Amino acid sequence: MKLDALKLGESKNVEFKEKLPKNSEKYLKSIIAFSNTSGGKLIIGIKDQTGEIVGVTEDNIFKIMDQITNAISDNSIPQIVPNIYIQSIEGKSVIVIEVYPGQMRPYYLKSLGKEQGTYVRIAGTSRPADQAMIKDLELAGANRSYDSLVVIGEELNMEEVNKLCQTIEKYKRDAFKQKGRDAEVPKVTLHQLERWEVIQNIDGKFYPTHAFKLLTDNPYSFAKIQCGRFKGKTRSVFLDKREFTGAIYDQIEEAYQFVLKHINLGAEINGILRQDVYELPLVSIRESISNAVTHRNYIDHSSIQVLVFDDRLEVTSPGMLYGGLTVNLIKTGKSKIRNKAIAEVFAQMGIIESWGTGIQRMIDGCLEMGVPEPVFEELGDSFRVTIYRPSAQTLISNNLSYYRIQEEANPVIVLRALKNEDLTRREVEYLTNLSKSGARNLLEELMSQGKVEAIGRGRATKYRLKKKYD
């Protein structure tokens, strides 16, 4: 390991120990956590607090290496086989325990058992895995996909089967048209759904999988997208919020349209033609949402969040990166599919491109438009994509005249925001980018239509929906 890398300190894939702990569990937890996630290195002979290289006494170094090998062999299930070696750094010898991403997950401490002894690496710490994580690890170790498992106790609804087949055909037809292809779309059949593992054939009878339910009636209350538009750069004040449920492909489109309504739209003059241009690349917005829906952990009963702030768009999905992937690996196009049935259907529908291209498409979309490259990060047991919105100065330098929202859409935006909370005139100004008089005129028009009423006086005046309109 290079000295420059060591100076970066501990991380998801690196941990320091000044000396080998007498209680082997203190370092075996990290060995197991590395095996269950994306691998890593445990280095003996470096202070964990300061990163100071203290080294290991030469007289004991081979004895310590034998201790480590025996402890790992005796206490981990399944067997973990790390690469243990000596490295000289600044003239001092340290022991490096290099652990590779395991293929037989979950790995756990024999003394604690699977339920209590399974650990995962989150940021720079090794933490016990919860039940959802353990189930996800079990499926990965068995090379199985949760979305292709049969839903116990459910019968297959043939009406829903036919509807889903027709929907896939329609999406595929539309995708062909967008690419200028005039090819005939083959019919999607029950047996194709079986090949894609959207339904399962057990003893000659077909049963729905989780993927089938998510793509049709979606009874899972957590499998939704929560969208929010916040005032400023924090989650303090909602300007608009929505929750999208139902078939997961519909959720993608609804969340995408929500974002478009809350980012700046402008005009670019190309010759004599006026072309509407959004401040963020559409491909990057769509890919960030569709990737979240495709690759999220559906065992985790959390929801996807798509949040718009003054300075950024955040798309956060439940679940760490899958199958030993890291942020650096996914940026090179490396891909492992957590939800194989959903990914197959989405690829057929044209919602996602070939596997492994989504991240690069997000990056390329931003760079081509002069927007900063998206930030990809694991946050505990979730994954987030952040796309930063350009500043006003950047918009001016790009010779684009932007306005926050089309004028005719302002009443709709204000009424939607008022469903969540009362607003002041200044907040309406901010939401619509109207002047003081423009916001006042809009509110007076909505009041004259009987949709909105004013409460309070003077600067304390707020506006709310009338009961009959709400």
Side-chain angles (χ1 to χ4, degrees):
M1 189 169 186
K2 294 181 179 179
L3 183 59
D4 288 344
L6 290 177
K7 288 179 179 178
L8 295 175
E10 294 184 307
S11 65
K12 179 182 177 182
N13 303 102
V14 177
E15 183 169 314
F16 301 147
K17 294 289 184 188
E18 181 177 354
K19 56 186 178 181
L20 189 69
K22 291 181 179 179
N23 182 352
S24 61
E25 284 191 4
K26 289 186 177 180
Y27 65 89
L28 286 174
K29 291 176 181 179
S30 296
I31 302 294
I32 285 167
F34 287 143
S35 296
N36 281 328
T37 45
S38 56
K41 293 180 180 180
L42 177 61
I43 305 175
I44 312 296
I46 300 179
K47 290 186 177 182
D48 56 345
Q49 298 295 325
T50 63
E52 179 188 351
I53 301 166
V54 296
V56 178
T57 306
E58 294 284 348
D59 294 342
N60 295 328
I61 201 161
F62 292 106
K63 181 181 178 182
I64 293 172
M65 292 172 71
D66 284 341
Q67 278 183 254
I68 295 169
T69 301
N70 293 333
I72 294 172
S73 177
D74 294 342
N75 295 286
S76 64
I77 298 180
Q79 185 71 55
I80 297 172
V81 183
N83 181 21
I84 304 176
Y85 56 90
I86 302 167
Q87 184 170 347
S88 179
I89 303 174
E90 294 187 340
K92 297 175 182 178
S93 296
V94 298
I95 298 173
V96 180
I97 309 167
E98 185 171 7
V99 183
Y100 306 103
Q103 300 301 315
M104 300 175 67
R105 301 170 184 179
Y107 295 85
Y108 57 92
L109 272 173
K110 183 189 296 186
S111 60
L112 296 180
K114 186 190 294 184
E115 300 300 314
Q116 304 297 324
T118 301
Y119 291 83
V120 291
R121 194 74 176 167
I122 296 178
T125 61
S126 300
R127 300 183 189 177
D130 61 22
Q131 290 303 307
M133 289 180 182
I134 293 173
K135 181 67 175 177
D136 194 38
L137 291 168
E138 287 175 336
L139 289 169
N143 195 28
R144 301 187 68 186
S145 175
Y146 170 79
D147 66 329
S148 63
L149 298 180
V150 167
V151 182
I152 304 300
E154 289 281 343
E155 297 289 329
L156 188 64
N157 183 323
M158 288 307 299
E159 184 178 334
E160 291 285 4
V161 168
N162 294 331
K163 181 181 176 182
L164 178 58
C165 289
Q166 291 168 9
T167 299
I168 295 171
E169 290 172 17
K170 179 183 181 302
Y171 266 76
K172 201 164 189 174
R173 196 177 298 114
D174 291 344
F176 279 1
K177 286 180 181 178
Q178 288 179 3
K179 294 178 180 178
R181 295 172 60 186
D182 193 22
E184 184 176 344
V185 175
K187 290 190 71 64
V188 177
T189 66
L190 178 76
H191 294 290
Q192 281 178 307
L193 295 183
E194 180 190 0
R195 283 200 300 275
W196 298 337
E197 298 189 70
V198 176
I199 59 175
Q200 296 283 5
N201 186 339
I202 302 176
D203 297 329
K205 185 174 181 179
F206 291 106
Y207 293 91
T209 64
H210 294 290
F212 182 84
K213 302 299 287 184
L214 288 163
L215 291 162
T216 53
D217 61 337
N218 187 6
Y220 309 110
S221 60
F222 62 87
K224 62 187 175 185
I225 302 180
Q226 298 173 320
C227 293
R229 170 64 173 108
F230 291 91
K231 181 179 180 179
K233 301 179 182 180
T234 67
R235 299 189 184 203
S236 300
V237 180
F238 267 113
L239 293 176
D240 191 11
K241 58 182 173 181
R242 295 286 304 278
E243 286 191 351
F244 299 112
T245 58
I248 53 177
Y249 55 82
D250 282 336
Q251 292 182 30
I252 293 172
E253 183 60 31
E254 290 167 327
Y256 174 69
Q257 293 299 329
F258 179 93
V259 174
L260 297 191
K261 289 175 182 176
H262 290 290
I263 63 173
N264 294 327
L265 174 67
E268 182 179 38
I269 306 302
N270 186 5
I272 61 172
L273 299 177
R274 176 187 180 279
Q275 182 179 2
D276 286 341
V277 181
Y278 284 94
E279 64 173 302
L280 293 177
L282 302 186
V283 65
S284 302
I285 299 170
R286 186 177 285 279
E287 285 289 342
S288 63
I289 298 171
S290 60
N291 272 19
V293 174
T294 306
H295 299 297
R296 65 153 290 175
N297 181 1
Y298 284 98
I299 304 173
D300 186 328
H301 287 190
S302 303
S303 302
I304 293 170
Q305 291 191 332
V306 176
L307 309 180
V308 182
F309 299 87
D310 282 5
D311 64 334
R312 68 194 186 279
L313 165 67
E314 288 182 358
V315 180
T316 307
S317 54
M320 298 183 293
L321 287 172
Y322 181 72
L325 290 175
T326 64
V327 170
N328 287 336
L329 282 174
I330 63 173
K331 290 172 75 172
T332 67
K334 185 76 172 176
S335 177
K336 292 189 179 181
I337 308 301
R338 175 183 268 120
N339 303 302
K340 295 176 183 176
I342 291 171
E344 182 62 56
V345 171
F346 279 3
Q348 294 289 331
M349 296 171 79
I351 292 174
I352 61 173
E353 297 290 334
S354 58
W355 298 346
T357 63
I359 297 295
Q360 192 58 53
R361 283 162 60 82
M362 275 185 250
I363 294 171
D364 290 346
C366 289
L367 295 181
E368 288 170 8
M369 199 167 177
V371 175
E373 182 176 316
V375 175
F376 307 98
E377 54 189 335
E378 282 188 297
L379 300 171
D381 57 353
S382 62
F383 182 74
R384 175 176 295 168
V385 178
T386 302
I387 304 176
Y388 284 94
R389 302 174 64 181
S391 64
Q393 188 58 46
T394 302
L395 297 179
I396 293 168
S397 65
N398 288 341
N399 295 318
L400 294 177
S401 174
Y402 274 87
Y403 49 93
R404 186 171 301 278
I405 200 73
Q406 291 171 292
E407 185 177 348
E408 60 268 24
N410 281 334
V412 176
I413 297 300
V414 172
L415 291 172
R416 181 178 292 137
L418 287 171
K419 286 184 178 181
N420 300 314
E421 60 181 332
D422 300 339
L423 297 175
T424 64
R425 176 186 50 74
R426 287 179 63 84
E427 287 172 333
V428 171
E429 286 178 38
Y430 181 85
L431 183 62
T432 60
N433 207 32
L434 290 171
S435 65
K436 180 178 179 179
S437 59
R440 184 185 296 116
N441 291 339
L442 172 59
L443 288 166
E444 288 176 354
E445 176 64 24
L446 292 173
M447 286 191 290
S448 70
Q449 294 172 5
K451 298 176 179 178
V452 172
E453 61 183 350
I455 51 175
R457 287 188 173 186
R459 292 185 178 181
T461 302
K462 286 196 171 185
Y463 298 86
R464 68 182 179 193
L465 287 183
K466 280 197 169 180
K467 294 283 187 184
K468 64 178 181 180
Y469 183 73
D470 192 14

